[in-house]
Amino acid sequence: MVFDVSTDSRNEVQSDWGSMEQRMAQRLRRIFGHSLNIRHIDVGSCNACESEVLSLSNPYYNFHRLGLFFTASPRHADVLLVTGAMTHAMEDVLLTTYTAMPQPRLVVATGVCAIHGGLFRESPEFAGPVDTTIPVDAYIPGCPPTPYAIINGILQAVDRRKGKKPC
Amino acid sequence: MLADWLRSGLSSRRVTTTYPYGKEANPIHRNWRTVPVIVSACKSTMPCRCGDFCPTQAITCPDGFAVQIDVGSCIGCGRCVNLCPQVFAWSGDVTVAASGRRRLISVADGGEMARGI
C-alpha cells in the first residue's frame, strides 16, 4: 500500500510550520555547508543539564526538524555544547576537545555552572568559568536551562557566526 | 494539570513543539519558573541586604540602591521572589540566551533582559 501524503489532513495543518523549519535547516546549511552537528561535553555537571540536553532529541522538542544533530566526535562537530562547573581535571580535556574541532567552530556555555560556577564556585575543585579557557559564543542561563532556551542559545550562536570569516 | 496537558496535546494534533516559530500548540512554558526578573525598582530608603540571601550573590546593589540581577549566576532558588515580591517576580521567558556575558545582567529600568534575538 502506497502512503499518500496529500490525503493526510495532519500534514496540511503542519505544512506551514514544516516549511519554516525546512527554511531554518537550509539557512544552517548555507552558513556551515551542512546541518549543524553538536558535540556535548560535560566538564563537571550534576547531570541536570544533561537531562535537558538529552530531551532536545525527544519527540516533543525534536531539534532534528531544525537541522541540528548530535555527533559522537568533536572532529565532526560545529558546536561544542559545554555543561557543568569546570573541574581542574577537565580543563585540559576541554581545551583538547576545542582544538580537535574543525573551523569554524562555536562554543555554547549551557547552564549557570558553565557560565559562572553556580553553587560550586567556592569549591577548591572548580577551575573557573568556561570562558576563561575557551571563547564562548552564546551563554544560556538557567539551572538547568529549559530545552527551549538551549535551542534558542544554539540558534543565537549560529546567527552571530553568520557572515564572518573562519576563526 | 496533567489532564489538561493530555487534552491539549491530543486536541492540537501535533506532538512536537513549533518553537521557535509562531504560536505554541501547548503554551505550557508560560507557567515555568525560568529566571527571576526585576519588575519594579527597589523602593527601599536605606541600603538593603538583598544580596545576602542570594546563595550565589547574583543580586547586587552596585551603588547602594539600584538593584541588579545577574541571571548568569542565578540558580533559581526563588528566595528573592519569596522575600521581596514587590521587586522580583518569576518570568516564564525562555529566550534568555545571550551572546555576551554582560548581557545577562538585568537592571530595574525597563525590567527587560537584554536579548540577542
Side-chain angles (χ1 to χ4, degrees):
Chain A
M1 180 188 165
V2 180
F3 181 68
D4 189 5
V5 180
S6 60
T7 56
D8 190 356
S9 63
R10 293 184 183 193
N11 274 342
E12 287 172 19
V13 175
Q14 293 174 9
S15 62
D16 193 23
W17 302 121
S19 65
M20 280 202 264
E21 283 157 5
Q22 277 168 16
R23 276 207 294 279
M24 168 57 85
Q26 282 166 3
R27 197 151 68 95
L28 291 179
R29 282 191 203 102
R30 261 207 314 280
I31 297 172
F32 280 93
H34 50 77
S35 296
L36 200 70
N37 282 277
I38 298 165
R39 173 64 196 168
H40 168 229
I41 182 168
D42 169 6
V43 291
S45 175
C46 70
N47 279 4
C49 290
E50 274 67 32
S51 168
E52 304 295 309
V53 167
L54 278 182
S55 62
L56 284 176
S57 56
N58 72 12
Y60 183 74
Y61 293 104
N62 188 15
F63 76 154
H64 305 126
R65 71 203 149 92
L66 301 170
L68 308 169
F69 295 93
F70 285 126
T71 184
S73 166
R75 301 260 184 221
H76 304 156
D78 307 302
V79 174
L80 188 62
L81 196 67
V82 190
T83 55
M86 188 167 60
T87 58
H88 290 295
M90 286 302 284
E91 201 172 0
D92 288 342
V93 180
L94 179 64
L95 203 57
T96 313
T97 311
Y98 180 70
T99 48
M101 287 170 68
Q103 293 170 344
R105 54 199 167 191
L106 299 171
V107 179
V108 178
T110 309
V112 164
C113 289
I115 298 173
H116 168 265
L119 282 179
F120 308 107
R121 194 176 170 84
E122 306 301 324
S123 165
E125 292 302 315
F126 178 62
V130 168
D131 56 2
T132 58
T133 303
I134 54 176
V136 173
D137 294 280
Y139 298 82
I140 308 173
C143 189
T146 65
Y148 290 117
I150 299 175
I151 293 175
N152 180 250
I154 292 168
L155 296 181
Q156 204 166 312
V158 172
D159 267 8
R160 210 184 153 207
R161 169 67 232 164
K162 192 169 56 184
K164 278 190 189 169
K165 288 178 186 170
C167 45
Chain B
M1 179 74 180
L2 185 62
D4 290 345
W5 199 8
L6 275 174
R7 201 178 300 115
S8 67
L10 288 172
S11 61
S12 69
R13 286 182 157 187
R14 174 163 168 149
V15 178
T16 307
T17 174
T18 53
Y19 185 82
Y21 300 111
K23 195 163 171 281
E24 195 70 36
N26 304 314
I28 201 84
H29 67 272
R30 302 276 159 74
N31 303 325
W32 286 358
R33 296 175 169 185
T34 53
V35 287
V37 290
I38 300 171
V39 286
S40 70
C42 185
K43 300 286 195 305
S44 172
T45 51
M46 57 184 192
C48 74
R49 299 158 62 83
C50 51
D52 293 350
F53 54 73
C54 182
T56 54
Q57 284 84 44
I59 299 167
T60 48
C61 303
D63 50 358
F65 298 103
V67 61
Q68 67 180 31
I69 181 165
D70 175 17
V71 293
S73 54
C74 167
I75 59 163
C77 68
R79 285 184 202 172
C80 51
V81 182
N82 288 336
L83 289 169
C84 207
Q86 63 270 28
V87 177
F88 301 100
W90 283 111
S91 155
D93 191 10
V94 291
T95 58
V96 286
S99 55
R101 182 69 181 84
R102 289 185 175 206
R103 292 192 178 193
L104 294 173
I105 300 170
S106 65
V107 290
D109 50 354
E112 289 276 324
M113 201 149 10
R115 291 193 206 109
I117 276 183

